[in-house]
Amino acid sequence: MAYMKTFAIFAKKLQYMRNLCILLTMILMPAVATANNDDLLNELDSAIAKRDYYMKAKEERINLLKKTLTTETDSIAALKTLETLFTEYHVYKLDSAMAYAKRGQAAATRQGYQHFITLFTIHLAEILNLSSLYSEAVGQLDKIQNGNMDDELLFKYYYTYFSVYSYWSDYCHDQDYSPQYRDKANNYLELAMNYADKNAPLYNFYLGEKMVYVEPDQEKAREKYLNILASIDKNSRIYAMASYALAGNYRMSGDEDKYEEYLIRAAMSDIISCTMENAALQSLAVKLFEKGEDYIERAERYINISMEDAKFYNNRLQIIETSKSLPQIMKAYQDTTEKQNRSLRNAIFFILLLMTVLLFTTFFINRQNKKLSARRRELAEDNRQLSSLNEQLAESNRHKTDLNEQLKELNTKLVDTNDRRETLASIFIDLCAKYIDKLGKYQTLVKRKIKANQAMELLQNISSTRISEDDAATFLQRFDKAFLELYPTFVEDFNALLTEDGRIVQKSPHTLTTELRTFALIRLGVKNTSDIAGLLFLSNQTIYNCRSLTKNKALNKETFDIDVTHLCKVIH
């Protein structure tokens, strides 16, 4: 009986320990998941730190293909090289991808290769889709005759329809058109799957997409995505696509830790494969922002990188989506930083106060102990000298007060003068920008009316209003004159930021060069490359190259843009 009683007590203790272990496991599992995600975030930061290396390698690969294209004599090989260049640019630079799609389409048309005509037309539709030009993308696809296409082209053809209508549905996001476009997308996905290559690396991904949109089954879709990840290189574009899809799958099932994990994995693969057309990093930034203050700094950094990538790729829809999240994250980051700075300032002030009190007390005690006897004899003399010093100090303070008042008055005048100068310049630039924008709208109107064969109505609308080279030259001449009158030392101050051999020489004292105009606009607060290009009647790439080349000549490249905004703050 005693043995049985002891055994029963032991069994109860064992059950208690077991329950405790289960409880501890449940408590620690989120912490372990978070720790694992933190490790992945550190890996992502390492990948981001190597972005320049990955991009340089991709550019070298692209340049090698371009050299190959210039020496290629075989027409079929040249078309294949053009397609490879399109593939390299597809998710890297939208404008370049579109250029090579059009170039390939034109070359195939000249040479009469129907297969490549169809292929490059599909590629052009893909890029128009990514440019948010959905109607134009469908127009390109509708031109294709699919009677003599092989299975590979048929799959691309129908899958591109699916992609266009999927994007279009997400873009509309309403109750009327969005469901119609989603139904069309699903129908085209079903058609595409009839021609899919079951041995292709992306076959499981397409099956997963079908189980997400056409035959909703999240468990089976997850299985397909996981199959891809188990068999593909982690640094590939395919891995990124599957990871991002899997992240969405886990969010649908409510598993936020897994959602975050696969967003990180997708973002890493995007960075390594130089995919600028990405949404993973943006979604990750929003997710980290939602987690709380500990992740705000990372969220702010990631959303800025995502915006840089979107601008580099020139994806308007992604720029809009990123812009929606950016202000909220930036504000939270600024609030957190300000809170930390406030606490730090208070702590430093308190420490300095304590040190000052301690030093003063120590000095006072030592001094008083040593000089107490002597001070008694000198007290009368000291009082007389103290009275004299007080009078001198009072006079000095009065003089100092007068100087401070004069300085304050001068500073007020200086600030007021600078404010008026900058207000005048901003009004001038704003008026010019509105005028240029108006001209751009007139040009759009002209194109639309011509396409619609409404020439007479066009003549009634626009008559003689259009911009010319003389108008542009006049604008730039007036801009140069106004800017140099407002900031007469700008050229000298700007050259001081550059190396000696990189300094810019004006063609005439009253004329700015393109480089000087670019950074004059930056000094006035116009920092966006596309805005500067519009104001100077140049392309975005020209302005981008101008800024990059000039920055490379700067004495301090890291703070160059900030240094430019601080030029000419004081009137000489």
Side-chain angles (χ1 to χ4, degrees):
M1 291 295 292
Y3 172 77
M4 292 298 292
K5 186 176 181 180
T6 302
F7 180 78
I9 293 170
F10 176 76
K12 287 182 179 179
K13 290 184 177 180
L14 186 62
Q15 181 66 28
Y16 172 77
M17 293 298 293
R18 180 183 166 201
N19 291 339
L20 182 62
C21 288
I22 293 173
L23 179 62
L24 288 172
T25 301
M26 292 175 64
I27 293 172
L28 292 175
M29 276 181 66
V32 171
T34 301
N36 289 340
N37 285 346
D38 286 344
D39 291 341
L40 284 174
L41 286 171
N42 291 332
E43 289 184 35
L44 175 58
D45 288 342
S46 297
I48 290 173
K50 298 177 182 177
R51 288 177 79 211
D52 290 343
Y53 168 78
Y54 299 133
M55 292 179 69
K56 183 179 179 182
K58 186 174 186 70
E59 291 287 352
E60 289 176 353
R61 193 163 60 249
I62 289 172
N63 289 335
L64 182 61
L65 286 169
K66 290 179 179 178
K67 289 180 180 178
T68 301
L69 184 62
T70 59
T71 58
E72 189 62 70
T73 56
D74 182 79
S75 58
I76 296 294
L79 287 170
K80 289 180 179 179
T81 304
L82 283 170
E83 189 196 4
T84 305
L85 279 165
F86 166 82
T87 304
E88 289 287 345
Y89 278 122
H90 185 192
V91 290
Y92 183 58
K93 283 185 180 179
L94 188 143
D95 294 339
S96 298
M98 183 173 290
Y100 278 102
K102 290 179 178 179
R103 184 174 172 183
Q105 187 184 51
T109 302
R110 285 195 307 271
Q111 297 161 16
Y113 293 123
Q114 186 59 46
H115 173 85
F116 283 102
I117 294 172
T118 302
L119 178 62
F120 281 109
T121 303
I122 293 172
H123 286 335
L124 184 57
E126 291 173 339
I127 293 303
L128 290 169
N129 180 35
L130 293 176
S131 303
S132 306
L133 300 173
Y134 308 116
S135 178
E136 289 77 0
V138 170
Q140 289 293 325
L141 293 172
D142 287 345
K143 293 192 304 186
I144 297 174
Q145 301 295 325
N146 61 1
N148 297 321
M149 293 163 59
D150 58 26
D151 284 356
E152 182 180 359
L153 272 181
L154 281 169
F155 175 79
K156 283 181 177 291
Y157 173 68
Y158 288 122
Y159 192 80
T160 304
Y161 265 122
F162 161 71
S163 297
V164 173
Y165 281 112
S166 293
Y167 275 69
W168 208 345
S169 174
D170 293 339
Y171 179 80
C172 291
H173 197 64
D174 61 3
Q175 299 297 323
D176 297 323
Y177 295 104
S178 186
Q180 296 177 28
Y181 293 148
R182 175 50 60 190
D183 289 341
K184 286 186 177 183
N186 292 345
N187 291 336
Y188 279 116
L189 180 58
E190 285 193 278
L191 283 172
M193 292 306 296
N194 294 329
Y195 303 99
D197 181 1
K198 295 182 179 180
N199 297 318
L202 273 171
Y203 181 71
N204 276 318
F205 177 80
Y206 301 135
L207 284 178
E209 295 290 275
K210 184 178 180 181
M211 292 167 186
V212 169
Y213 296 107
V214 182
E215 305 168 359
D217 189 332
Q218 296 299 328
E219 289 296 328
K220 288 185 178 179
R222 184 183 305 171
E223 178 184 344
K224 299 302 178 184
Y225 295 142
L226 288 170
N227 285 342
I228 296 175
L229 299 184
S231 60
I232 207 73
D233 182 9
K234 291 183 178 181
N235 300 334
S236 67
R237 166 71 177 155
I238 298 174
Y239 190 92
M241 293 166 60
S243 295
Y244 188 70
L246 188 56
N249 181 280
Y250 276 116
R251 169 157 268 197
M252 290 287 291
S253 64
D255 193 336
E256 290 295 315
D257 287 331
K258 286 291 186 182
Y259 170 68
E260 180 183 326
E261 175 187 342
Y262 283 98
L263 281 182
I264 299 170
R265 295 185 185 279
M268 271 195 290
S269 297
D270 282 337
I271 292 292
I272 295 171
S273 61
C274 295
T275 299
M276 299 300 174
E277 196 283 311
N278 66 77
L281 196 61
Q282 176 192 338
S283 300
L284 178 60
V286 175
K287 171 63 179 172
L288 294 177
F289 167 71
E290 293 170 352
K291 288 183 72 172
E293 289 187 0
D294 292 343
Y295 294 89
I296 290 296
E297 187 275 335
R298 246 195 184 110
E300 185 268 344
R301 183 154 44 88
Y302 290 169
I303 199 71
N304 279 327
I305 294 171
S306 181
M307 178 61 80
E308 289 174 8
D309 288 351
K311 289 180 178 178
F312 182 87
Y313 185 66
N314 197 22
N315 186 329
R316 289 174 288 179
L317 183 59
Q318 187 179 345
I319 292 173
I320 293 171
E321 290 297 322
T322 305
S323 298
K324 292 178 182 177
S325 305
L326 184 60
Q328 190 177 10
I329 294 176
M330 287 295 295
K331 185 179 183 304
Y333 173 71
Q334 291 170 357
D335 291 343
T336 302
T337 303
E338 180 60 29
K339 183 178 178 181
Q340 293 172 347
N341 289 341
R342 201 160 47 241
S343 299
L344 182 60
R345 284 196 299 269
N346 292 338
I348 292 173
F349 175 77
F350 183 70
I351 292 170
L352 288 175
L353 182 62
L354 288 178
M355 290 180 62
T356 302
V357 171
L358 179 61
L359 291 172
F360 177 77
T361 303
T362 302
F363 172 76
F364 180 76
I365 292 174
N366 290 336
R367 187 169 178 270
Q368 289 301 104
N369 286 337
K370 292 178 180 179
K371 298 184 177 181
L372 185 57
S373 300
R375 290 295 291 168
R376 287 173 180 171
R377 294 190 298 268
E378 298 172 357
L379 186 58
E381 181 64 21
D382 287 346
N383 285 336
R384 187 187 63 78
Q385 293 179 1
L386 181 60
S387 177
S388 177
L389 288 173
N390 282 336
E391 292 177 2
Q392 295 176 16
L393 180 60
E395 180 64 28
S396 176
N397 284 337
R398 284 193 296 271
H399 182 63
K400 184 178 180 181
T401 300
D402 293 339
L403 290 176
N404 284 337
E405 288 298 326
Q406 294 175 17
L407 181 60
K408 183 178 180 181
E409 183 180 354
L410 289 174
N411 283 337
T412 301
K413 291 180 180 179
L414 177 61
V415 171
D416 181 62
T417 300
N418 277 338
D419 286 344
R420 285 188 285 107
R421 290 196 333 177
E422 294 184 0
T423 300
L424 178 60
S426 297
I427 291 172
F428 175 75
I429 296 304
D430 185 60
L431 288 173
C432 292
K434 288 180 180 177
Y435 184 66
I436 293 168
D437 181 64
K438 183 177 180 182
L439 290 178
K441 290 179 181 177
Y442 270 116
Q443 289 176 346
T444 302
L445 175 64
V446 170
K447 293 178 182 177
R448 190 170 69 249
K449 294 296 183 181
I450 289 175
K451 288 182 180 178
N453 294 321
Q454 297 174 346
M456 295 304 297
E457 183 178 346
L458 174 62
L459 288 174
Q460 293 174 2
N461 286 336
I462 66 173
S463 61
S464 63
T465 303
R466 67 187 187 90
I467 193 165
S468 67
E469 292 183 2
D470 291 340
D471 294 327
T474 301
F475 168 77
L476 294 177
Q477 182 181 6
R478 291 180 180 177
F479 171 79
D480 293 349
K481 180 180 178 182
F483 185 83
L484 289 173
E485 284 180 358
L486 290 172
Y487 302 104
T489 64
F490 175 77
V491 177
E492 180 182 351
D493 294 347
F494 181 75
N495 276 329
L497 300 178
L498 306 177
T499 59
E500 188 172 350
D501 57 346
R503 292 176 180 171
I504 301 171
V505 179
Q506 294 171 264
K507 295 179 180 179
S508 69
H510 304 293
T511 303
L512 297 175
T513 64
T514 298
E515 293 86 349
L516 290 172
R517 288 186 189 119
T518 298
F519 287 94
L521 287 172
I522 291 172
R523 167 62 185 87
L524 293 174
V526 184
K527 299 179 180 179
N528 189 282
T529 296
S530 61
D531 292 342
I532 295 172
L535 289 171
L536 297 183
F537 311 99
L538 298 171
S539 68
N540 289 354
Q541 187 63 45
T542 300
I543 296 302
Y544 176 82
N545 292 341
C546 173
R547 293 181 70 171
S548 298
L549 291 173
T550 306
K551 189 173 183 179
N552 287 335
K553 300 173 184 176
L555 294 171
N556 191 338
K557 297 181 181 63
E558 300 297 327
T559 62
F560 181 62
D561 287 340
I562 296 175
D563 293 340
V564 171
T565 62
H566 291 164
L567 294 177
C568 302
K569 289 289 187 181
V570 178
I571 301 175
H572 295 286

